[in-house]
Structures are given as structure tokens and as C-alpha cells.
């Protein structure tokens, strides 16, 4: 473990903003825990259906305020994409090539998930599992992919929206909600908020990349004003209190995004900016930074497979209960309508996490562009193997290649010297003695 910590620390570029990686890690942990806490698979008469405790337990609503962290994702995504595009333009890289590279990294691991669930769905139907259960499970797994589609669209539009002020998409969301709710307009118009709503934090991230960090006073104003606006909209505007969808509710703040979801996201963005300073101080500790870095290296795998991990534990528990002759397990297969369910669900979270670790161990190679068995492994580099993954796309390799010329001694970066065994250091060519000098000496 200590060797891993040292390797990650040595491989991290000194100018990397570790706090952004920490924000991304916190956001993905929030999404995973949120889904595990507000999603229940209920076993009833041989079928499985999806329910949420947010309906029968209104007091559970604040959980959605804590774990709905999508705005932070888009804030960091806009910041990183704007800087990456600017660096690519400075290198002379074309827009199409930059966009293709970003989208390839985004969608590369999705194929494994789709293949596994296609086989699983066919197998379950062949074994007599009811269609309604298969549909409920597949929808639970595939529904989070909308996030990737929106992020991909915004990433592809980065060259166009990188200089767009976040107030413009915010104005679109405001007018759409006025027409939809204030003037009884068609519900379909609300889907205009799907790109516009998430453009607000995305453009805010691009704005910070272009203009520099927000002053603490501005971040506090964003946090307070965004939170106050959200509270007023929920209390007096008729918006739902939950920041995620609730089955059976007439209006969802997330599907499509509403003005309340956008103001809530702006409050989150203000809080995230205020956290940057404390996070930078905490991440000076090598062990903490290693945990954050490893989670970021597996971010897509965690996001794609966390629902599958929960389903695997639920199905395994149901099978075990049937073999032992027991009834549905509280917090795993029962209706989420009581505080007892919430307490029991908290006890199942560690098993969900273990199942997710197994999924990450199996499917993480697909995130890096290879397969577990047929991956071409290059020769061990002189620099730490984590360096290319931790460095941003626009940054050069941490350790440049050694250039040895017959006329010059090798130039070795000082940060690489301590990690190279002495027997692999090339020796400078030995200079031949001058015959005239030797004759004079004789």
C-alpha cells in the first residue's frame, strides 16, 4: 500500500488541481449512495418492481438534497473541457479530433455494460423470469445513461458554448418554466430544459476556466441565493421538495430539469467552489490523494456498474431467502414505507459496496481501452505507470523520453533519476585519445 501511495504521488503532475478530482469523486459517491438509498426492488408474487422511499416517507426527502450532485459533475466537466479544448487549440489539434477523443473516452466502457445486460436479459427470459421484472431491472441499470448522453452533447458543443455566459441558458430555463407552469403550456416544452438546465453549471465551469476562480464572496452569494431561491420555489411555487424523481409524482425536478433543480445546482456549485481551498489542504496528504486518484481512474466503471452491484446483492439475497425458506429480507426486498426499512437498507450498503468492488475489478480494464485477456501490455516505462492516466489530456508525459546522442551525455529529468536502476543508465560514449596529444606526452 505504501508503494502505491508513493507511486501515485510521484506520478501526479505538480500543477494538477487535486481539488477538482476530489469534487468529481464526491459527486460520484453522492450519486451512488443516493441511488442505493432511494431505490428499492420489491419482491411481490414472483416479480420485482422498483419503488422509492421518498413517496411514503416524506421525511426522507432531505436525502435527495445531499446526494443529488449532478450539478457538480457538470461544473467540473465544463471546467476541464474548456481547458482541454483551449490546450488542444494551442497545440494545433482540430476540433473534430479533440471531440472524438473525448467522446471515445466517455463511451468506451459502455459497450461492456450493454453486452452483459443483453445476455442477462435473454437468459432471464429464457429461464421464465417475467417480462415486467426484466424490464424493471434493465430500466434501473440503463436509466442513468441519460447523464452520459447529455454530457456527450455538451462536450461536443464545447467549442461553441465555452464562451457562453451561464445566464443565457438560465434565462431559457426560467422562460420555459413560466410557459409550462405559469401559462399552462404543454409539458413537452419542458424538455428544452434538458440541455439548457445542465448548460448552466457546465457554462459556469467553462467561465471559471476562462476567467479564473470565483471570489469567496461571490461563491457564498451563489450558495445562499441559490439555496434561498430553491426554498422559495418549493414552498410557494409548487415545485416538488425532492431533487430526484419520485415514482407516481405528477412533476419531477429532474426529468426534465426544472427551475428549482437549476437554482439548487447553482447553490451546489457555490458550495463546491468554497470547498476547493479546504480540499487542497486535505489532499496534500498522500494517502488521501491516492484514494481520490484511484476513484477518479475508475469513475466511469463505478457510475455504470453501481446499479448492477445493487441488483446482484438483491437477487442473491432473494435466492438465499428462498433456499432457506425465509420471506423477503427487510431493506432489500420489502416495501420502503417505514424507518425500519431505512435502517435495514443502511446495513445492506456495505454488501453493495463489496459487489461494486468486484464489478470494478472485472470491468475496469474496459475503461482503459482494453480487455482483461487480450490487452496489449507495453514494456514497463521508466516513469511510474500511473503517470499517463493521472495527467490531463493536454499535459505532456511526466517523464520525457531519454535522448542519448553520441555527442552529448544523456539528459535525465531529476524526478526520474531516483527511480532508475543504475545498470540501465546508458553511459556516455568513451572519447578516443588524440594521437598528437599522445605523441607529445611520449
Amino acid at each position: 500500500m505504501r508503494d502505491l501511495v508513493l507511486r501515485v504521488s510521484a506520478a501526479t503532475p505538480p500543477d494538477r488541481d487535486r481539488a477538482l478530482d476530489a469534487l468529481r469523486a464526491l459527486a460520484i459517491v453522492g450519486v451512488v449512495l443516493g441511488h442505493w438509498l432511494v431505490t428499492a426492488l420489491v419482491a411481490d408474487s414472483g416479480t420485482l418492481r422498483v419503488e422509492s422511499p421518498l413517496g411514503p416517507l416524506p421525511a426522507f426527502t432531505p436525502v435527495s438534497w445531499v446526494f443529488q450532485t449532478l450539478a457538480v459533475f457538470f461544473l467540473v466537466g465544463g471546467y476541464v473541457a474548456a481547458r482541454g479544448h483551449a490546450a488542444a487549440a494551442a497545440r494545433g489539434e482540430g476540433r473534430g479530433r479533440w471531440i472524438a477523443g473525448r467522446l471515445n473516452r466517455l463511451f468506451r466502457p459502455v459497450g461492456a455494460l450493454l453486452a452483459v445486460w443483453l445476455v442477462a436479459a435473454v437468459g432471464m427470459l429464457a429461464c421464465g423470469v417475467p417480462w415486467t421484472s426484466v424490464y424493471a431491472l434493465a430500466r434501473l441499470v440503463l436509466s442513468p445513461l441519460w447523464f452520459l448522453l447529455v454530457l456527450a452533447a455538451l462536450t461536443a458543443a464545447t467549442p461553441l458554448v465555452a464562451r457562453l455566459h451561464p445566464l443565457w441558458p438560465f434565462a431559457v430555463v426560467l422562460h420555459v418554466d413560466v410557459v409550462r407552469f405559469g401559462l399552462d403550456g404543454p409539458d413537452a416544452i419542458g424538455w428544452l430544459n434538458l440541455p439548457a438546465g445542465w448548460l448552466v453549471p457546465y457554462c459556469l465551469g467553462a467561465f471559471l476556466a476562462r476567467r479564473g476562480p470565483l471570489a469567496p464572496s461571490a461563491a457564498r452569494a451563489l450558495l445562499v441565493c441559490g439555496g434561498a431561491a430553491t426554498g422559495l420555489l418549493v414552498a410557494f411555487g409548487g415545485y416538488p421538495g425532492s431533487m430526484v424523481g419520485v415514482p407516481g409524482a405528477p412533476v419531477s425536478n429532474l426529468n426534465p430539469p426544472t427551475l428549482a433543480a437549476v437554482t439548487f445546482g447553482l447553490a451546489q456549485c457555490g458550495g463546491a467552489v468554497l470547498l476547493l481551498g479546504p480540499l487542497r489542504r486535505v489532499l496534500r496528504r498522500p494517502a488521501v490523494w491516492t484514494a481520490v486518484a484511484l476513484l477518479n481512474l475508475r469513475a466511469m466503471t463505478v457510475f455504470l456498474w453501481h446499479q448492477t452491484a445493487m441488483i446482484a446483492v438483491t437477487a442473491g439475497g432473494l435466492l438465499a431467502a428462498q433456499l432457506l425458506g425465509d420471506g423477503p429480507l427487510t431493506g432489500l426486498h420489502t416495501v420502503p414505507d417505514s424507518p425500519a426499512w431505512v435502517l435495514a437498507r443502511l446495513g445492506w450498503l456495505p454488501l453493495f459496496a463489496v459487489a461494486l468492488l468486484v464489478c470494478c475489478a472485472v470491468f475496469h480494464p474496459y475503461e482503459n481501452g482494453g480487455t482483461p485477456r487480450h490487452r496489449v501490455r507495453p514494456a514497463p516505462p521508466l516513469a511510474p505507470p500511473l503517470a499517463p492516466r493521472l495527467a490531463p489530456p493536454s499535459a505532456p508525459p511526466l517523464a520525457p523520453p531519454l535522448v542519448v546522442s553520441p555527442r552529448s551525455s544523456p539528459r535525465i529529468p531529476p524526478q526520474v533519476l531516483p527511480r532508475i536502476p543504475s545498470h540501465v543508465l546508458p553511459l556516455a560514449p568513451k572519447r578516443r585519445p588524440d594521437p598528437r596529444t599522445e605523441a607529445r606526452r611520449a
Side-chain angles (χ1 to χ4, degrees):
M1 179 62 68
R2 182 182 178 185
D3 180 62
L4 176 63
V5 171
L6 293 176
R7 286 171 56 201
V8 173
S9 298
T12 304
D15 59 344
R16 186 177 185 86
D17 193 346
R18 302 182 179 189
L20 292 177
D21 295 292
L23 287 179
R24 189 186 294 113
L26 289 174
I28 196 167
V29 168
V31 168
V32 170
L33 291 179
H35 281 163
W36 286 351
L37 287 173
V38 303
T39 305
L41 283 170
V42 179
D44 183 20
S45 303
T47 62
L48 289 173
R49 68 177 189 272
V50 179
E51 292 196 11
S52 172
L54 295 174
L57 297 175
F60 203 55
T61 298
V63 171
S64 69
W65 307 343
V66 177
F67 295 113
Q68 200 278 74
T69 53
L70 292 174
V72 179
F73 263 121
F74 285 103
L75 175 74
V76 177
Y79 183 92
V80 173
R83 293 197 64 180
H85 177 256
R91 295 193 305 267
E93 184 177 343
R95 293 182 178 180
R97 182 178 179 184
W98 179 82
I99 293 173
R102 300 280 298 188
L103 297 185
N104 180 51
R105 287 193 296 272
L106 189 63
F107 286 108
R108 194 162 47 200
V110 177
L113 179 75
L114 297 179
V116 167
W117 271 97
L118 177 62
V119 173
V122 173
M124 286 187 288
L125 291 174
C127 293
V129 177
W131 162 252
T132 55
S133 298
V134 176
Y135 175 77
L137 296 178
R139 183 179 180 184
L140 186 63
V141 170
L142 300 180
S143 58
L145 295 184
W146 72 263
F147 164 78
L148 296 184
L149 296 177
V150 175
L151 183 59
L154 298 187
T155 300
T158 298
L160 301 177
V161 303
R163 295 187 174 276
L164 182 67
H165 197 282
L167 284 179
W168 288 108
F170 182 84
V172 172
V173 174
L174 174 63
H175 285 83
V176 165
D177 272 24
V178 167
V179 173
R180 180 186 176 191
F181 298 118
L183 303 178
D184 294 327
D187 288 339
I189 196 175
W191 291 104
L192 292 175
N193 283 351
L194 185 59
W198 300 120
L199 262 176
V200 175
Y202 193 86
C203 290
L204 179 60
F207 178 84
L208 298 181
R210 186 173 69 251
R211 298 288 185 90
L214 285 179
S217 58
R220 280 192 291 270
L222 198 60
L223 172 62
V224 173
C225 294
T230 305
L232 292 174
L233 289 171
V234 170
F236 304 105
Y239 287 85
S242 173
M243 288 299 130
V244 298
V246 179
V251 177
S252 169
N253 274 324
L254 205 57
N255 190 31
T258 63
L259 181 61
V262 173
T263 56
F264 178 77
L266 288 174
Q268 285 184 317
C269 292
V273 172
L274 292 174
L275 279 177
L276 290 175
L279 286 174
R280 292 187 182 109
R281 291 191 292 271
V282 172
L283 291 170
R284 292 171 187 167
R285 302 175 182 178
V288 178
W289 165 238
T290 298
V292 170
L294 292 179
L295 179 55
N296 273 271
L297 291 175
R298 292 157 177 79
M300 282 297 300
T301 305
V302 171
F303 178 78
L304 291 174
W305 291 94
H306 72 280
Q307 296 284 55
T308 302
M310 182 187 71
I311 292 173
V313 174
T314 303
L318 186 61
L319 179 61
Q322 291 176 349
L323 292 176
L324 295 175
D326 296 333
L329 300 176
T330 303
L332 201 59
H333 313 122
T334 54
V335 177
D337 58 357
S338 67
W341 184 94
V342 177
L343 294 176
R345 175 49 66 101
L346 292 176
W348 289 107
L349 293 185
L351 283 181
F352 295 168
V354 171
L356 181 56
L357 288 176
V358 173
C359 291
C360 288
V362 174
F363 296 104
H364 172 59
Y366 295 95
E367 188 169 353
N368 292 333
T371 59
R373 293 184 179 180
H374 301 93
R375 195 174 173 184
V376 179
R377 298 185 179 275
L382 295 180
L386 288 176
R389 303 181 192 174
L390 292 177
S394 59
L398 187 59
L402 304 182
V403 180
V404 181
S405 171
R407 298 182 180 180
S408 63
S409 59
R411 294 174 296 187
I412 303 177
Q415 69 269 29
V416 180
L417 265 174
R419 296 191 294 273
I420 304 178
S422 58
H423 65 275
V424 302
L425 289 176
L427 299 177
K430 191 174 182 180
R431 183 177 296 176
R432 297 181 178 179
D434 190 344
R436 292 174 295 181
T437 304
E438 293 296 323
R440 285 196 297 268
R441 289 180 180 176

